[in-house]
Amino acid sequence: MMEAKPKRRIVTENGDTGEDLVLATLIGNGDDVGPLVRHAFEMGRPEPLVHQLKNVARKKEAEIEDLCKTHYEEFIVAVDELRGVLVDAEELKSDLASDNFRLQEVGSALLVKLEELLESYAVKKNVTEAIKMSKICVQALELCVKCNSYISEGQFYHALKTMDLIEKSYLKLIPLKVLKLVIERRIPVIKTHIEKKVCSQFNEWLVHIRSSSKNIGQTAIGLTASARQREEEMLERQRRAEEQNTGGLGELAYTLDVEDSEQDSVLKFDLTPLYRAYHIHTILGVPERFRDYYYENRLLQLQSDLQISYTQPFVESYQTFLAQVAGYFIVEDRVIRTAGDFLLADQVETMWETAISKIVAILENQFARMDSPTHLLLVKDYVTLLGTTLRQYGYEVGPVLDALDKSRDKYHELLLEECRKQIVTAITEDTYQQMVIKKEADYENNVLSFNLQTSDIMPAFTYIAPFSSMVPDVCRIIRSYIKGSVDYLSYGVNTNFFSVLRKYLDKILIDVLNEVILETISNNSIGVSQAMQIAANISFLEKASDYFLRHAAQLCGIPSRSVERPQASLAAKVVLKTSRDAAYLALLNVVNTKLDEFMKLTENVNWTTEEMPQGPHEYINEVVIYLETVMSTAQQILPMDALYKVGVGAIEHISNSIVSTFLSDSIKRFNANAVSAINHDLRVIENFADERYHSSGLNEIYKEGSFRSYLVEARQLINLLSSSQPENFMNPVIRERNYNTLDYKKVATICEKFKDSADGIFGSLANRNTKLTAKKKSMDMLKKRLKEFN
C-alpha cells in the first residue's frame, strides 16, 4: 500500500490536465457526459475527448487497482462468500425454474380466464352504452308523445315547454341520426301548428269579447248610475239633515265603499285566452307580431263599433252604441293594467282619440237633428254616465262634455218651446175664476208647494184661493222646466251651473210666460173679471218667482240664504211687476170703456134744459151699480194696492169724462140747469167714493189720497160753473184755494159755452131772477178776463 501511493501520484502528475479533472469529476459524480460528447462531435474534435476519456479510464483503472491492492484480503473473502452465494443462487435458480413451471401451468389457465373476463367487460360496456342510448331515445320519444298529448288537449304552453326541453336537453344527445333528424324537422311544424291553433282560439276570443263589450259597458254605466242616484239621495238627506242641524256623513262614505266593492265584483270578464296567446307567442319568440295583430284587429273592431245605423232612430240605439264603446275601452284598460308590456299606453290613447272624435261628431250631428228635449236629455244623461264611467278608468272625456255643453242652448230652446205650448194651454183654458179647494191635500199641492199662501195659518175648507187654476198649473210647468234644466246642466263641464240655470229661468219667465200673459192682456175680448183675475194671478206669479229661484238653488246645491237677499232676486220679478201694471191698465181700460158706455153724457144729459133738476140722472145709478160690482170683485181678488189703483182709476176716469164732456165739440152750449144736474150726478159718485174708500179699509192705508180726491177737477169745475161769482177764478188766492186743478184754457173754452136762459125764449122769466142776472154778469166778466189773460 505504501508503494501504490507514489504510483498514483505519478499518474496524476504525468497525465492529468484541467479538462481531465473536470471530466473525471463529472463521471465520479454520476453526471451525464452526453452533452460533452455531443459538443465534441458538433465541434468536429472528438479525438481530444476520446483521449481524455482514455486518460480517465486509465486513472479509474489505477484507482481500482490501488483499491484492490489495499483491500485484496477483504476482496478474497468477498469472492469466497460470492462463490457460496453462487451455489445458493444455482439452487435458487433451480427452485425458481420449478416454481416458474408450475406458475406457467397455473397462469395459462388464468390467462384464458382473464381474456374471457376482458371480453365480458367489453360486452358489458357495449351493452351499458346501448342501454344508455336506448334510455335517451326512449325519454325523447316519451317527451314527443307527451308533447303530442298536450297539443291534442290544447295545453300549448306545456307542449312548447316540452319541445324546448327536447331541443335543449335531449336533441344533441340522441345517438340515432334518423330519429334526431325526424324530431328536428317536426319541431318547427309543431310550433307553426300551435301558433295557428292559438291564433284561432284568440280570434274566437276577439269575437266573444266584442259581443260581450255591450254588456260590460251597460253594467259599468248601470253601476255608475246607481252610484250617482245613491249619492244624490245621500246629498239630499244630508241637506235636509243640515237644515235640521243633524249629521249624516258616515252613511255616505259607507255607501260609496260598498259601491266600489260591488263594481269590482260585477265587472269581471275572462282575458285568459289573450294572456295565453301572448305568452305562447312570447315563447315562440314572436311577441311583437302578436301585439301588432291584436292592435290591428281591435282597431278594426273599434271602427266597426263606431258606425251607427241610420235606418234606426238614434234615440233607440244610442244606449247600445255608447255601451259598446264603454265596454270596449274598459276591456282595453284591463288589458293594459294586467298584461304587462303587451299593450302600450300610446296605442290605447290613439284608439281613444279615434273614438272620442267620432262620438263627438255623431253627437253634434244627432243633437242638431233632434226636435224633442226629452230625447236630447235622455242622450245627454247617458253620455254623462258614459263620461263618468270612463273617467274612472283614466280616459279624458272633456271633448264629449264640451259637445254636450254646446247643445245646451239647443236643448233649452226645445224645452222652452215645449213649455210655451203648455203655458199657452194653461192660460187659454183657464176659466179666470178663483180656485175652490176642498181638501187639505189639494191645498198643499196647489198653494203650499209654491209658497202661494197668504197666511201661515191653515185655512178652513172649502177654501177659495185668490188666484185661478192658471197659477199652480204654470208653477208646475216652470218647476218641471227647472228640473229639466238642472238635469241637463248637471254633470257637465261647469260644476257651478246655478248662474246658467238662473239665466234660463229668467228666459222662460220673461220670454215665454210674460209674453203669453201680455198677449192675453192685449186681447180685445178680455173682460173685466178676466183682466182682474189675470192681474191677481200675475201678483202670485211674481211671488212664486222667489220660490222658483229657491227651488233652482236647492236643486243646484246652493244654500237658500244666498238667494234670499233682495239683490239676488230674478230680473223676471221686475218684468212681471211691469206686466202686472199692464194688467191693471188693461183692467182700467175695460172698466173705463164700460163706464163710458153707461155715462154717455152727451146722450143722457139735456144741456139746455129749462127745468131745474130734482136729482141725479138715471144713468148714474147704472154707473154706481157697475162700480160697486167692480170694486166688490176687486176687493175679493186683488191685493189692496191693486184695489186702490182700480178705484182711483175709475173715479179719476169719471172726473176726466165730466170735464172732457164740457170740452167736447159736440156740446155747443149748456146752461146752469145742466150744471146743476151734473152736480147731482157728481155728488152720487162722491158719496160712493167715500163709502167704498172707508168700507174697503183703504182709508187706513192711504190716508192722504181718498177716492173723492180724484174727483176734485170735476168738482172744482162744477163749483166754478155753479158759483155766483165765477170771476173770483181770476183771483190768485181764491183760485189756488178753490180751483187749483183747473186749467186756464179749459176754463175759458168751457165758459164760452156757458149760456144762461135769458138768451133763450124764456129770457123774460130769467130776468126776474136777480141772482141769475148777477151770475150772468160775473160769468161774462170771467170770460172777458180769460180772453185778456190768454
Side-chain angles (χ1 to χ4, degrees):
M1 292 179 65
M2 293 298 292
E3 294 176 353
K5 291 180 180 179
K7 185 177 182 180
R8 181 179 179 187
R9 196 166 45 247
I10 295 170
V11 172
T12 305
E13 292 174 357
N14 296 332
D16 286 345
T17 63
E19 296 178 352
D20 294 340
L21 290 175
V22 173
L23 186 60
T25 302
L26 291 173
I27 294 172
N29 293 335
D31 292 334
D32 186 13
V33 296
L36 292 176
V37 175
R38 186 166 54 253
H39 178 70
F41 278 93
E42 288 177 355
M43 296 297 293
R45 297 175 61 190
E47 293 82 1
L49 179 63
V50 173
H51 179 70
Q52 291 174 1
L53 289 174
K54 288 180 179 182
N55 290 335
V56 173
R58 285 194 300 270
K59 288 190 285 184
K60 292 299 179 182
E61 288 176 358
E63 290 178 1
I64 292 172
E65 184 179 353
D66 291 341
L67 184 63
C68 288
K69 288 179 179 180
T70 303
H71 300 286
Y72 70 94
E73 293 178 357
E74 288 91 347
F75 181 73
I76 293 173
V77 175
V79 170
D80 290 340
E81 289 177 358
L82 184 60
R83 286 177 179 173
V85 173
L86 181 61
V87 174
D88 294 337
E90 288 295 334
E91 291 177 0
L92 181 59
K93 181 178 180 181
S94 176
D95 293 338
L96 288 175
S98 177
D99 291 339
N100 181 54
F101 178 75
R102 289 194 300 271
L103 183 61
Q104 289 296 328
E105 287 181 351
V106 176
S108 297
L110 292 176
L111 185 60
V112 173
K113 295 295 184 181
L114 179 60
E115 291 177 353
E116 292 177 355
L117 179 60
L118 292 175
E119 184 178 356
S120 298
Y121 280 149
V123 172
K124 179 184 178 182
K125 180 179 180 181
N126 292 336
V127 171
T128 302
E129 190 69 23
I131 291 173
K132 182 178 179 182
M133 294 171 60
S134 299
K135 285 183 178 179
I136 293 174
C137 293
V138 170
Q139 289 175 356
L141 291 174
E142 286 178 349
L143 290 176
C144 291
V145 172
K146 187 181 291 186
C147 181
N148 289 334
S149 176
Y150 286 144
I151 293 173
S152 62
E153 294 173 0
Q155 300 183 23
F156 300 124
Y157 172 74
H158 296 294
L160 289 174
K161 296 300 288 184
T162 303
M163 282 194 297
D164 185 63
L165 180 62
I166 293 173
E167 282 186 291
K168 294 181 178 179
S169 302
Y170 287 90
L171 193 59
K172 60 184 178 182
L173 300 177
I174 294 176
L176 296 178
K177 292 184 178 181
V178 176
L179 178 60
K180 182 177 181 181
L181 183 60
V182 170
I183 293 176
E184 285 180 343
R185 291 178 178 177
R186 292 301 298 172
I187 286 176
V189 176
I190 293 174
K191 288 184 177 180
T192 302
H193 172 74
I194 290 176
E195 184 178 1
K196 290 182 179 179
K197 291 290 291 183
V198 169
C199 286
S200 176
Q201 293 178 357
F202 175 70
N203 289 336
E204 293 177 359
W205 177 83
L206 280 177
V207 175
H208 169 73
I209 201 65
R210 185 189 181 192
S211 62
S212 302
S213 293
K214 181 184 72 173
N215 294 331
I216 294 171
Q218 288 176 339
T219 302
I221 293 174
L223 291 174
T224 302
S226 299
R228 175 188 292 181
Q229 182 177 358
R230 284 195 292 270
E231 184 178 357
E232 289 175 351
E233 292 173 354
M234 182 57 62
L235 290 175
E236 177 63 21
R237 289 196 294 270
Q238 179 182 350
R239 184 190 62 79
R240 294 176 182 176
E242 289 174 351
E243 291 177 355
Q244 299 173 1
N245 295 324
T246 59
L249 297 177
E251 187 179 354
L252 176 61
Y254 173 78
T255 304
L256 295 178
D257 291 342
V258 171
E259 171 60 20
D260 293 338
S261 61
E262 178 184 352
Q263 182 166 351
D264 292 340
S265 62
V266 173
L267 277 180
K268 289 186 177 180
F269 44 88
D270 188 16
L271 294 179
T272 303
L274 171 63
Y275 301 147
R276 183 190 301 121
Y278 179 54
H279 190 52
I280 288 175
H281 279 80
T282 302
I283 295 175
L284 291 173
V286 288
E288 291 292 339
R289 184 166 67 193
F290 180 71
R291 283 200 291 261
D292 294 340
Y293 180 78
Y294 173 86
Y295 179 69
E296 292 172 359
N297 280 272
R298 286 293 281 167
L299 195 57
L300 289 174
Q301 285 186 344
L302 176 62
Q303 292 172 352
S304 178
D305 291 340
L306 292 175
Q307 301 300 320
I308 62 173
S309 174
Y310 289 96
T311 59
Q312 184 182 14
F314 185 71
V315 73
E316 298 177 5
S317 62
Y318 72 93
Q319 289 191 2
T320 301
F321 167 69
L322 296 175
Q324 183 76 25
V325 174
Y328 178 95
F329 284 100
I330 291 173
V331 171
E332 293 306 308
D333 174 75
R334 185 73 59 84
V335 170
I336 199 172
R337 287 191 294 108
T338 60
D341 59 348
F342 170 69
L343 195 60
L344 300 178
D346 291 342
Q347 292 176 317
V348 178
E349 188 65 24
T350 300
M351 291 190 289
W352 175 243
E353 289 176 357
T354 301
I356 203 168
S357 61
K358 183 67 174 179
I359 292 173
V360 168
I362 290 174
L363 290 177
E364 290 178 349
N365 182 35
Q366 294 298 327
F367 284 162
R369 296 183 177 187
M370 288 184 182
D371 55 1
S372 169
T374 303
H375 293 167
L376 203 152
L377 178 60
L378 289 174
V379 176
K380 179 266 172 186
D381 186 62
Y382 204 78
V383 171
T384 55
L385 290 174
L386 169 75
T388 304
T389 302
L390 292 182
R391 187 187 286 117
Q392 297 173 358
Y393 293 92
Y395 295 102
E396 175 55 45
V397 297
V400 176
L401 299 181
D402 289 338
L404 297 179
D405 195 55
K406 291 178 182 177
S407 65
R408 184 180 66 192
D409 290 339
K410 171 66 179 296
Y411 168 77
H412 283 88
E413 288 175 3
L414 296 175
L415 189 61
L416 280 173
E417 188 59 32
E418 189 175 84
C419 291
R420 178 187 292 275
K421 294 178 182 178
Q422 297 173 357
I423 290 174
V424 169
T425 301
I427 293 178
T428 54
E429 293 182 355
D430 189 17
T431 59
Y432 297 103
Q433 295 180 356
Q434 293 174 303
M435 285 188 69
V436 178
I437 300 176
K438 298 181 179 180
K439 296 186 297 184
E440 182 177 347
D442 294 338
Y443 182 80
E444 292 179 355
N445 293 333
N446 293 289
V447 180
L448 296 180
S449 295
F450 309 109
N451 293 336
L452 300 176
Q453 66 273 19
T454 56
S455 173
D456 294 335
I457 302 174
M458 181 67 69
F461 298 99
T462 302
Y463 170 73
I464 299 177
F467 50 80
S468 64
S469 61
M470 161 195 135
V471 174
D473 289 344
V474 168
C475 288
R476 274 186 282 270
I477 296 170
I478 301 298
R479 185 171 61 185
S480 67
Y481 172 84
I482 295 172
K483 180 62 168 60
S485 181
V486 170
D487 289 341
Y488 193 89
L489 296 174
S490 300
Y491 307 101
V493 176
N494 298 319
T495 55
N496 185 14
F497 52 87
F498 176 69
S499 59
V500 179
L501 174 59
R502 180 171 178 158
K503 180 186 71 174
Y504 285 118
L505 180 56
D506 264 331
K507 190 174 184 64
I508 189 173
L509 292 175
I510 296 173
D511 295 348
V512 177
L513 176 61
N514 187 65
E515 285 186 3
V516 174
I517 291 175
L518 290 178
E519 290 175 1
T520 304
I521 293 174
S522 62
N523 190 348
N524 294 327
S525 62
I526 189 172
V528 174
S529 60
Q530 290 176 322
M532 196 176 298
Q533 191 61 64
I534 289 175
N537 289 347
I538 293 176
S539 297
F540 283 96
L541 290 175
E542 179 187 345
K543 182 180 180 181
S545 64
D546 294 332
Y547 159 76
F548 297 145
L549 188 61
R550 289 195 301 273
H551 183 65
Q554 177 183 343
L555 294 181
C556 295
I558 303 297
S560 300
R561 61 181 179 276
S562 64
V563 297
E564 290 177 351
R565 300 187 298 270
Q567 60 270 25
S569 62
L570 293 170
K573 190 172 184 179
V574 178
V575 176
L576 287 173
K577 184 177 294 186
T578 303
S579 298
R580 182 188 63 181
D581 294 338
Y584 293 153
L585 291 176
L587 171 62
L588 288 176
N589 288 334
V590 174
V591 171
N592 293 339
T593 301
K594 193 66 175 177
L595 287 175
D596 290 340
E597 294 178 0
F598 285 133
M599 292 182 68
K600 292 183 180 178
L601 295 179
T602 56
E603 298 178 2
N604 296 326
V605 176
N606 184 355
W607 296 99
T608 57
T609 180
E610 297 295 334
E611 297 180 0
M612 181 66 66
Q614 301 300 316
H617 294 95
E618 291 293 332
Y619 77 89
I620 203 65
N621 295 326
E622 296 181 4
V623 171
V624 171
I625 293 172
Y626 178 71
L627 286 177
E628 180 66 30
T629 302
V630 170
M631 294 300 293
S632 299
T633 304
Q635 188 172 357
Q636 296 176 4
I637 298 176
L638 298 178
M640 296 300 284
D641 61 335
L643 175 65
Y644 181 73
K645 288 181 180 180
V646 171
V648 166
I651 297 299
E652 188 174 20
H653 180 73
I654 292 175
S655 175
N656 294 335
S657 296
I658 293 174
V659 175
S660 298
T661 302
F662 279 103
L663 291 170
S664 175
D665 293 336
S666 59
I667 305 300
K668 302 299 183 183
R669 58 175 295 181
F670 61 89
N671 58 19
N673 291 334
V675 173
S676 179
I678 296 298
N679 185 38
H680 287 299
D681 296 343
L682 184 58
R683 286 177 180 174
V684 172
I685 299 299
E686 288 174 337
N687 293 335
F688 169 80
D690 289 339
E691 188 277 330
R692 177 53 61 180
Y693 177 68
H694 289 83
S695 64
S696 62
L698 292 174
N699 61 315
E700 298 178 0
I701 302 175
Y702 302 96
K703 296 181 179 181
E704 297 180 358
S706 65
F707 286 163
R708 176 188 284 268
S709 64
Y710 287 90
L711 291 168
V712 63
E713 185 179 10
R715 168 49 59 196
Q716 289 181 358
L717 177 62
I718 297 301
N719 288 344
L720 177 62
L721 296 177
S722 302
S723 174
S724 60
Q725 294 179 335
E727 74 275 9
N728 290 338
F729 177 78
M730 301 307 298
N731 186 319
V733 176
I734 297 176
R735 184 174 67 251
E736 181 63 27
R737 184 179 66 247
N738 298 329
Y739 308 110
N740 60 329
T741 62
L742 297 179
D743 180 71
Y744 279 102
K745 293 182 180 180
K746 291 182 180 180
V747 171
T749 303
I750 294 173
C751 289
E752 286 294 327
K753 297 180 181 183
F754 184 80
K755 305 291 183 183
D756 64 7
S757 54
D759 294 333
I761 193 172
F762 301 104
S764 59
L765 295 177
N767 288 331
R768 299 173 188 173
N769 192 330
T770 57
K771 290 184 179 181
L772 290 177
T773 302
K775 180 179 179 179
K776 180 178 182 302
K777 291 180 179 180
S778 180
M779 183 61 70
D780 291 339
M781 186 179 297
L782 175 62
K783 292 177 184 179
K784 181 179 179 181
R785 295 187 63 182
L786 285 172
K787 288 180 179 179
E788 293 176 354
F789 181 82
N790 291 331

